[in-house]
Amino acid sequence: MKRTLLLCFIHGFKGGDDTFGGFPEHLQALVSHGLPKVDVRAIVYPKFETRGDLAECVSRFRDWLQEKVIDIEVANNTPSPTVDPSVRTILIGHSMGGIVAADTVLGITSDRPIGDADSTEPILNSSMFPYIQGVLAFDTPYLGISPGVVAHGAEGHYKTATSALTQLSGLTGALWGGKAASETDKEEKKDPAAALPPASEANASLPSWQRWGKVALYAGAGAALAAGGTAAWLNRDQITEGWTWVGSHLEFVGCLMKGEELRKRVAGMGTLNKELNIGFCNLYTRLGKNALSKDDGSMVGSVIGNQRTFCNLPQKEGKEFWHEAINDESGDEIAAHTTMFYPKDNPGYYSLAEDAKNLIVHWPIKTDWYESSSDDT
């Protein structure tokens, strides 16, 4: 019977069907060339709710994957899918999708969730269904997000805010009727009455906002705040719903804040690689030439350095599972993270695809399972 290698792509937080662009088809073609005896297929997990409990999301994905694999097994007329499956799957996740992939295979091989505090060393189950051959992650923050992402982002926001304040200070003169704000402030310090509008007949003909100057502006601001408070009260249900939405999303990505759980997940994948020959790798983005030039004179670059990545890297254990994918075009970590599957934004796109293909082809697929694949029914 013809064996099937299923490449299953899982997008990350707030991602969708377009996350991977044309990468699934590209990688499918490369792997088909490298593994000609099997039927290589690529499927993309549809857009899902990236909110709520991560374990629930993993459970929904596992049910969906199981149905897809059963459909293929039925079409292949497989005598015993659980004993000798005709389908093996590579889970390919981007960002948080890599965590969903890892938790899926950890659950299938141990039937215990990664966050189970009462769990002891799991008993590994090699007779898994669906059969997961490997987890290939792309820029997944298995050990959390790099501090540089926050630091460089904060520096950019600081510069933007400084520029905005400079423009705003130049605008204040126009707001106060053409006189520079600093001059007005000096006059008010000398004579507090200077802030009050002059009571003259000529002045009475002016529009109210000019006649009453700052007094009218402050009163208007107060009225606006009062109106805003009223609107907030009237829309309190929507605001509460909004906070619930935010909290639910934070719950989904909250696993990135649980250091012990993160380390446990990576250690679990290392064990599966060693004991069950399940492939595991995280191809992470690192900024190249364009970012290095921007570090000159940077208040952040002098502290964090120029090795700018989106995800934290292991210091000792597990380093063999992290492979860098350099992006010489992007100037910041988040842009490199979100555009890694688009050749126009990532000059290293084709090298990335080749590295992914080599990993999959050289994982222990060429076993009796692979060699027994044929077109005979």
Side-chain angles (χ1 to χ4, degrees):
M1 107 183 76
K2 188 78 169 181
R3 308 286 190 176
T4 301
L5 183 65
L6 188 64
L7 308 180
C8 181
F9 290 79
I10 316 165
H11 66 75
F13 181 68
K14 300 298 290 180
D17 301 337
D18 59 344
T19 293
F20 297 99
F23 189 77
E25 293 79 10
H26 185 184
L27 185 59
Q28 177 186 7
L30 292 176
V31 175
S32 295
H33 185 266
L35 298 171
K37 280 197 168 189
V38 295
D39 177 25
V40 180
R41 303 186 191 182
I43 59 174
V44 180
Y45 186 43
K47 186 173 183 178
F48 58 93
E49 286 291 328
T50 51
R51 56 187 294 180
D53 185 60
L54 176 63
E56 293 179 7
C57 178
V58 171
S59 178
R60 288 192 297 270
F61 167 73
R62 183 172 169 178
D63 290 342
W64 176 87
L65 177 63
Q66 185 169 294
E67 290 182 7
K68 293 294 182 183
V69 171
I70 289 175
D71 288 344
I72 299 174
E73 295 285 14
V74 170
N76 289 348
N77 294 315
T78 307
S80 181
T82 55
V83 176
D84 184 21
S86 69
V87 180
R88 293 196 177 187
T89 303
I90 305 290
L91 298 180
I92 303 173
H94 175 241
S95 192
M96 286 290 291
I99 291 181
V100 173
D103 282 7
T104 298
V105 68
L106 286 167
I108 290 175
T109 55
S110 68
D111 288 327
R112 281 177 177 166
I114 190 69
D116 187 358
D118 297 328
S119 65
T120 56
E121 196 68 26
I123 300 174
L124 299 181
N125 174 25
S126 59
S127 301
M128 49 183 151
F129 186 84
Y131 194 103
I132 308 299
Q133 184 64 69
V135 171
L136 179 58
F138 288 88
D139 222 19
T140 293
Y142 283 118
L143 297 174
I145 296 175
S146 170
V149 175
V150 179
H152 286 98
E155 181 182 34
H157 289 307
Y158 169 78
K159 291 178 180 178
T160 302
T162 302
S163 175
L165 286 172
T166 302
Q167 296 178 35
L168 184 59
S169 64
L171 187 62
T172 54
L175 289 175
W176 304 141
K179 182 178 289 188
S182 58
E183 294 179 12
T184 306
D185 291 338
K186 289 178 182 177
E187 291 182 7
E188 290 176 9
K189 288 179 180 178
K190 293 179 182 178
D191 181 10
L196 297 176
S200 66
E201 293 181 0
N203 193 51
S205 63
L206 295 174
S208 60
W209 67 270
Q210 288 186 3
R211 281 189 282 118
W212 294 102
K214 289 186 180 180
V215 176
L217 276 172
Y218 288 138
L225 288 173
T230 303
W233 173 253
L234 293 175
N235 294 284
R236 60 190 182 282
D237 291 339
Q238 289 91 326
I239 292 174
T240 302
E241 182 181 347
W243 278 113
T244 302
W245 182 89
V246 170
S248 183
H249 281 74
L250 289 176
E251 182 183 5
F252 180 79
V253 298
C255 65
L256 299 181
M257 304 299 175
K258 301 175 182 177
E260 183 58 32
E261 191 172 303
L262 292 174
R263 289 186 289 272
K264 188 177 179 181
R265 180 178 290 108
V266 172
M269 290 305 303
T271 299
L272 293 184
N273 176 262
K274 181 180 179 180
E275 301 295 333
L276 299 182
N277 287 325
I278 294 176
F280 178 51
C281 184
N282 187 20
L283 290 165
Y284 67 92
T285 56
R286 180 173 72 79
L287 303 190
K289 299 175 182 176
N290 202 22
L292 295 180
S293 63
K294 287 190 175 185
D295 276 339
D296 295 337
S298 167
M299 64 180 181
V300 176
S302 60
V303 177
I304 295 181
N306 55 26
Q307 294 297 311
R308 294 178 56 179
T309 61
F310 175 81
C311 55
N312 275 334
L313 308 182
Q315 298 302 311
K316 294 180 180 178
E317 295 183 9
K319 291 180 69 174
E320 67 272 20
F321 300 122
W322 263 250
H323 296 186
E324 71 176 13
I326 301 174
N327 186 326
D328 283 323
E329 176 67 25
S330 183
D332 69 86
E333 297 88 339
I334 294 178
H337 175 77
T338 57
T339 63
M340 63 189 307
F341 302 109
Y342 292 88
K344 65 182 183 66
D345 300 308
N346 179 18
Y349 170 87
Y350 294 101
S351 295
L352 180 73
E354 191 67 22
D355 290 343
K357 181 265 291 186
N358 289 333
L359 283 165
I360 293 173
V361 169
H362 288 96
W363 281 342
I365 295 175
K366 292 184 177 180
T367 58
D368 292 341
W369 175 86
Y370 175 80
E371 296 299 337
S372 63
S373 178
S374 68
D375 291 326
D376 297 334
T377 58

